[in-house]
Amino acid sequence: MLLYDAPRAPNPRRVRIFLAEKGVDLPTREVDLMALEHMESDYARINPLRAVPALVLDDGSVLTESVAICRYIEWLHPDPPLFGRGVREQAFVEMWQRRMEFALFLPVAFAFRHSHPRMAVLERPQFPDFAEAQRSRAVEAMRYLDVELSDRAFVSGDAFTIADITAYVALELTKLARIGIPEDLPNLARWRASIGARPSVAL
Amino acid sequence: MLLYDAPRAPNPRRVRIFLAEKGVDLPTREVDLMALEHMESDYARINPLRAVPALVLDDGSVLTESVAICRYIEWLHPDPPLFGRGVREQAFVEMWQRRMEFALFLPVAFAFRHSHPRMAVLERPQFPDFAEAQRSRAVEAMRYLDVELSDRAFVSGDAFTIADITAYVALELTKLARIGIPEDLPNLARWRASIGARPSVAL
C-alpha cells in the first residue's frame, strides 16, 4: 500500500493520527498542496476529486476519503478498535464522528478556506462573510461538546475513537481559521489537553 | 424503535429509501420542520443538534445522523447489503457514499439553504452568492459522476448501495436549489432513471 499524504492539511492528519494509534506504519508519498501538486494531472489520475489523502492498495486500486481509509485500516488492524466495539457502540461512534464532522470540522474548515489568504487560489471565490458566519457555528458546536464532555472522557464515550480524532483536528485548525476557542469551556479544555498528550497526536 | 421523520427533507428521505430497500417498516413520528418543531425544546431533548431524522432505540437512547442510522439498520437486517459485501467492497462503498455526500449532496444542500426563501428562517443569514458558487460545484460533480457511470450501473459498482441513495436524493433537491442538471450527461440520466424506477424511491 502507498499513502498519498500532505503534512499540514487536516484530513491527512486524521489518517496519520489513526495510523499512529494503531501502530501501523505505511509507506507514504508527499503531495505538495501549496505548490498545487494535487491539481496537476498526475495526481488527478490518483484521485479525480483532487483530495488528499489517497491510499493505493496492493492491487493498484485507489481508496480515498479519510474516514473510508481509516475504516479499511480498522478492518486490517482491529486493535485497538477506533470505530467502536460491537454493533450498538459502532453505530454511536459513527453518529459522533459525523456530528463532529458536520457541526464542528466543516464550519472550521469552511471558515479557513473562505478567509485565509493562502486558500484564495483554491477556494475561488472566497466568501469572507460566509466564513464569519461559520465561526459562530463552530463556537456553538464547541459549547455543545463541552456540555457533552461533562460526564465522559471522550467524545463518544469512555474510549478514544475516530470521533475524537475528527474533533481534535478541527480544533487544531481553529487558529488558521481565526476562531477563538472560548475559555469558559472546562470540559472541552480538559478533553483537548488529554488528547493533545497522546503520542499519536504529538507526532 | 421509533423514527423521527420529516416527509419532505432530504436526510429523512435517505433513511426512508434505505428502509424500503430493506423491506423494514418502523413506527415513525413526524416532525413539522416548516412549523420549526425541530427547534422547540421537546425535540431538542431528542436531538440537541436539532436535526431530523433521529432513531429512538428500545433502551431509550437516541441515534442520529442518517448514515449512522442506516448502518445500524444494515446490521439488524443485513440483506440486501447496502454498504457493500466484504471488507474491500465496504471500504469503496464508504468512499463513494462520502464522495457523493461532500462533492454533490453538500453543494446542492448549501445552494438550497442559502437561496430558498423558505430556508431564510433556518439559515440566518443566507449567502446567495455562496449558494450560486455551490451550484457550479454541484454541476461539476454531476459531470464527474457521468464519466464514472460510463462503465457501471451504480455509483459504487454493480450493486445498488447507500452511495446511490445519497446521490439520488441530492439530485432530487436540485429543483428547490435551482440547479439545472445538464442535458449532455447520458450516463447520469440513465442511472437517474433506473434509480427513480425503484419501488423504494417511488414511495
Side-chain angles (χ1 to χ4, degrees), chain B residues 31-40 118 121-122 124:
Chain B
V31 182
D32 188 343
L33 302 183
M34 284 305 104
L36 299 183
E37 194 184 340
H38 60 306
M39 303 307 280
E40 290 169 12
R118 223 166 64 197
V121 64
L122 286 175
R124 284 186 292 200

Side-chain angles (χ1 to χ4, degrees), chain B residues 4-6 9 12 29-54 113 118-119 121-123:
Chain B
Y4 283 84
D5 191 13
R29 186 168 301 168
E30 194 174 313
V31 182
D32 188 343
L33 302 183
M34 284 305 104
L36 299 183
E37 194 184 340
H38 60 306
M39 303 307 280
E40 290 169 12
S41 57
D42 277 0
Y43 191 71
R45 277 191 288 273
I46 305 293
N47 183 3
L49 293 176
R50 320 264 176 172
V52 184
R113 294 185 65 99
R118 223 166 64 197
M119 287 293 110
V121 64
L122 286 175
E123 198 66 57

Side-chain angles (χ1 to χ4, degrees), chain B residues 151-203:
Chain B
D151 68 351
R152 57 185 192 264
F154 298 100
V155 170
S156 178
D158 58 6
F160 178 87
T161 69
I162 179 108
D164 295 287
I165 297 177
T166 298
Y168 186 83
V169 171
L171 291 190
E172 276 193 319
L173 191 59
T174 53
K175 200 172 171 191
L176 285 174
R178 289 194 290 112
I179 300 171
I181 300 175
E183 286 177 15
D184 60 341
L185 305 177
N187 305 309
L188 187 73
R190 184 247 314 141
W191 165 84
R192 194 182 182 203
S194 90
I195 304 296
R198 298 177 78 89
S200 63
V201 171
L203 279 178

